Amino acid sequence: MNEKAYIESKPKFSVIWIVPVIAIIITGWMLYQHQANKGHTIFLKMDNADGIIAGKTEIKVRSVQIGLVESLKLQIDQNAVIATIRIFKDYDSLLTKDAKFWTVKPRVDESGISGLNTLLSGAYIELLPGESTDTATLFTMQNQPALIAPDIEGVRYKLKAANAEVLDVGTGIFFRNYKIGQVETASFNEKTLEMDYGIFINSPYNELISKNAIFWVNSGVEVDLSTEGIRVSTGSLSKLIKGGISVDYPPNTEADTIAEQSTQYKLHKNFAVALERRFDLFDLYLVEFEQSIKGLKPGAPVEYRGMRIGTVEQVPAQLVRNGQPLYFQQDNTSIPVLIKVEYGRIYEVDQQAKEYWQSNIEKWIKNGLRASLKSGNLLTGAVYIELDFYSAAKPEIIAKHLVYPVLPSVPSGFTALSEQVMALLNKLNKLPLDDTLNEAHKTLTAYKQLGNETERLIKNLNNKKVPEKVDKNLTQLQGTLTQLTSSLKQFEKTLSTYQQGSSVMDQLTDTLSELESLSNTLKPVTKGLNEQPNMLIFDKDAAEDPIPRKRQ
């Protein structure tokens, strides 16, 4: 029996495969959700991992945790540590290219004490988001905390300091003892050998920073030993502990227009130096002194009758002619000093002061204007240069020496006093005192001889032998009288040298005049020492204002 087999085809896909497909989809979804919820991975490079613990150290922004340190590994060259950090979901936008990271831990520095809350909880990493729109995955840890948050309003400026004290980041900026900002960055420029500072002035105090503002270092305590005496000044307690930078306007001036952002200023060593640098319009002069310039230093004042008009620039002047310094020339023993006359000190409109000075300086020198050295402080030995008129000065004109004009000078101080004493002694030495004394001695001898002859004559007259010796005694008496007449004539001649109008009397008169002038010069000093014995060190005490009496 032939029977045909019936072959029934079955479907290739089995329902049973739905289960693994669903499982794969669910697993994939779970993995996606896990990865999505896990956040974003970044890498942070740091010098060392001091206080950082993998799996424990948190990443925070404004004290809110946004991530966690997952692992710590040494860099391949072992010069740094690479921390793998997981940032939680929804915080990826904080990872801008200019974001800053630093470790928050207990810290004591010039800005104060911070991070005390980490003593129990442990150190954590603070994140400060930047302003960039681009993101990054590799960052570098900062050694110092960021001082200025992006949301703080203010203006940034630049300071340059060549000789000022080196200041740290975080140092305060003060305007009349009120803090208005702080130092944000500090770096040393090896090319210019200057310190470059970036400062941040909080808004609205940036309106106080004008174009004519001056900056100087305020260390809290300043001791100034200058020609004006000893000056001690102190600032606030915070500046006394940490120091700071002060900013203000020059005295007797008002604020100029507000400075733009990134304007650069000079940071001066102190307030006095800051004021010195304001006078940009000046002329240089040489002053040649025929005396010791010990105690005269660059920066010393140049005054005219107590009013400061300039500053000493170089002591001695660094000028060379024919390969030789000017203060070691063979044909000249004077020592040149370079000074500058600052016209802003003479009058507030410095250009007018310059025109007035230049149009009258030659006439003033012809009338006796001379430079001299004056003692400014006996304690420190500092001296300064004073310009004044001397009626007895020899006529001179302003000279041209190489590049700079030369102002004439006169000796002063102990040098001038010693010269007056030497001149007086020289005049006394020139008087014919020896001849006068010899003539007086001869005259007295003649008088003595006359007295002896007279005594013998009286004795002989009392004797009985008068008739026999009268002729002889009369002859001797005649000779004695002749000798006496000659002696009297000589004595009269000697006295005539001391009469009014004689050369000797004129010399004596000049000598007495010199002594009187010297005495008048020393009288104020003697009087001042009697009134205030310490006047050679300290300024004279000002008299108190008198109190009016009541009407009786």
Side-chain angles (χ1 to χ4, degrees):
M1 180 172 89
N2 293 329
E3 292 183 2
K4 293 182 179 179
Y6 178 76
I7 300 174
E8 183 178 0
S9 60
K10 294 183 178 181
K12 296 181 179 180
F13 180 76
S14 176
V15 178
I16 195 65
W17 287 103
I18 297 177
V19 176
V21 170
I22 293 175
I24 291 173
I25 293 174
I26 293 174
T27 302
W29 174 256
M30 292 177 64
L31 290 175
Y32 171 77
Q33 288 294 326
H34 174 75
Q35 188 67 28
N37 292 329
K38 192 175 182 180
H40 190 74
T41 300
I42 63 171
F43 302 94
L44 183 60
K45 181 180 178 180
M46 59 188 74
D47 294 336
N48 58 73
D50 184 24
I52 308 299
I53 302 175
K56 184 178 180 181
T57 301
E58 301 174 348
I59 313 299
K60 294 184 178 182
V61 174
R62 298 182 184 272
S63 299
V64 175
Q65 183 180 359
I66 66 166
L68 188 69
V69 177
E70 289 187 339
S71 64
L72 297 170
K73 293 182 179 179
L74 286 175
Q75 201 175 23
I76 297 177
D77 55 6
Q78 299 183 1
N79 291 329
V81 177
I82 302 297
T84 302
I85 299 176
R86 179 68 60 181
I87 301 298
F88 299 156
K89 182 184 177 182
D90 299 331
Y91 295 120
D92 295 350
S93 60
L94 300 178
L95 302 176
T96 58
K97 185 179 294 184
D98 56 349
K100 299 177 182 179
F101 293 82
W102 68 91
T103 303
V104 178
K105 54 186 177 181
R107 190 188 304 271
V108 179
D109 54 19
E110 67 282 347
S111 61
I113 302 175
S114 61
L116 293 180
N117 59 328
T118 61
L119 290 175
L120 299 177
S121 62
Y124 63 90
I125 297 176
E126 181 77 15
L127 166 62
L128 177 64
E131 298 179 352
S132 176
T133 57
D134 299 329
T135 59
T137 57
L138 179 62
F139 300 89
T140 301
M141 177 85 78
Q142 294 188 158
N143 293 326
Q144 297 290 335
L147 298 178
I148 311 299
D151 57 343
I152 298 179
E153 296 183 358
V155 179
R156 289 175 170 86
Y157 302 96
K158 298 179 181 179
L159 297 179
K160 273 190 172 292
N163 300 315
E165 178 185 354
V166 178
L167 301 172
D168 297 322
V169 172
T171 301
I173 311 293
F174 297 87
F175 182 86
R176 299 178 183 177
N177 292 329
Y178 185 81
K179 188 174 181 179
I180 62 173
Q182 58 188 331
V183 176
E184 190 175 18
T185 61
S187 61
F188 180 72
N189 191 327
E190 69 279 1
K191 295 182 179 179
T192 61
L193 302 180
E194 294 179 325
M195 286 295 299
D196 294 331
Y197 296 102
I199 64 173
F200 183 85
I201 305 298
N202 298 319
S203 180
Y205 304 122
N206 58 290
E207 297 181 0
L208 299 174
I209 310 302
S210 61
K211 292 183 177 179
N212 64 334
I214 54 177
F215 291 80
W216 70 93
V217 177
N218 194 327
S219 58
V221 178
E222 294 183 0
V223 179
D224 183 19
L225 297 176
S226 63
T227 57
E228 300 177 356
I230 303 176
R231 181 177 61 86
V232 180
S233 59
T234 60
S236 62
L237 182 59
S238 60
K239 286 192 288 184
L240 185 64
I241 298 175
K242 299 182 299 182
I245 297 176
S246 293
V247 57
D248 208 330
Y249 315 121
N252 303 322
T253 60
E254 297 180 354
D256 204 343
T257 56
I258 300 176
E260 299 179 354
Q261 180 163 306
S262 300
T263 301
Q264 183 171 290
Y265 294 90
K266 281 285 187 180
L267 178 61
H268 302 287
K269 185 177 181 180
N270 50 49
F271 180 66
V273 175
L275 292 181
E276 296 299 322
R277 303 305 179 192
R278 295 182 300 120
F279 306 104
D280 297 329
L281 185 61
F282 59 85
D283 280 330
L284 295 173
Y285 291 88
L286 277 180
V287 181
E288 296 183 341
F289 292 103
E290 286 284 356
Q291 65 181 99
S292 173
I293 59 173
K294 183 178 181 180
L296 185 64
K297 297 180 179 180
V302 176
E303 297 183 356
Y304 170 74
R305 294 185 174 180
M307 180 185 70
R308 183 164 184 176
I309 63 172
T311 305
V312 176
E313 186 71 11
Q314 292 180 356
V315 182
Q318 302 299 314
L319 300 176
V320 177
R321 184 173 62 186
N322 299 328
Q324 294 181 343
L326 290 182
Y327 50 94
F328 279 142
Q329 295 184 104
Q330 297 180 355
D331 57 346
N332 191 355
T333 59
S334 62
I335 300 179
V337 175
L338 186 64
I339 68 171
K340 58 182 180 181
V341 176
E342 298 160 321
Y343 298 110
R345 297 182 183 275
I346 300 176
Y347 185 59
E348 57 183 4
V349 184
D350 50 7
Q351 188 61 41
Q352 293 183 9
K354 180 177 181 179
E355 296 174 357
Y356 178 74
W357 173 274
Q358 293 181 347
S359 61
N360 290 278
I361 182 63
E362 293 185 1
K363 179 179 66 176
W364 292 337
I365 291 177
K366 290 181 181 179
N367 293 336
L369 183 67
R370 301 291 184 269
S372 62
L373 295 178
K374 298 293 183 180
S375 176
N377 191 308
L378 202 63
L379 183 62
T380 62
V383 298
Y384 65 96
I385 295 179
E386 183 182 62
L387 297 178
D388 205 340
F389 287 91
Y390 296 85
S391 57
K394 298 179 180 179
E396 291 191 31
I397 59 173
I398 189 169
K400 191 75 173 180
H401 201 302
L402 293 181
V403 181
Y404 307 111
V406 181
L407 296 178
S409 65
V410 294
S412 60
F414 290 103
T415 301
L417 183 61
S418 61
E419 290 183 357
Q420 292 180 3
V421 174
M422 290 302 298
L424 178 60
L425 294 177
N426 290 333
K427 288 184 177 181
L428 292 175
N429 289 331
K430 292 180 181 180
L431 293 177
L433 296 179
D434 293 338
D435 296 340
T436 303
L437 292 176
N438 291 332
E439 292 295 333
H441 180 68
K442 291 180 181 179
T443 303
L444 292 176
T445 303
Y447 275 115
K448 184 177 181 181
Q449 184 177 359
L450 175 61
N452 294 333
E453 291 292 338
T454 304
E455 183 180 0
R456 285 196 298 270
L457 177 60
I458 294 174
K459 289 182 179 179
N460 291 332
L461 289 175
N462 292 331
N463 294 331
K464 294 181 179 180
K465 298 180 179 180
V466 174
E468 294 86 0
K469 298 182 179 180
V470 169
D471 294 336
K472 183 178 180 180
N473 290 334
L474 289 176
T475 302
Q476 293 178 351
L477 181 60
Q478 185 177 3
T480 302
L481 292 175
T482 302
Q483 186 176 1
L484 178 60
T485 302
S486 176
S487 299
L488 289 175
K489 289 181 179 181
Q490 184 64 34
F491 186 67
E492 181 181 3
K493 182 179 179 182
T494 301
L495 292 178
S496 64
T497 59
Y498 295 95
Q499 291 180 356
Q500 188 69 25
S502 63
S503 61
V504 177
M505 184 58 65
D506 292 340
Q507 291 181 359
L508 286 175
T509 303
D510 293 341
T511 301
L512 292 176
S513 298
E514 292 287 342
L515 287 174
E516 183 179 3
S517 176
L518 182 60
S519 175
N520 292 333
T521 302
L522 294 177
K523 277 182 180 179
V525 179
T526 305
K527 182 180 179 181
L529 288 174
N530 290 332
E531 296 176 353
Q532 183 181 355
N534 60 353
M535 68 169 289
L536 295 178
I537 299 178
F538 300 101
D539 294 337
K540 187 174 181 181
D541 298 333
E544 297 182 355
D545 294 336
I547 301 176
R549 292 182 298 178
K550 296 181 179 180
R551 179 177 294 179
Q552 300 297 334

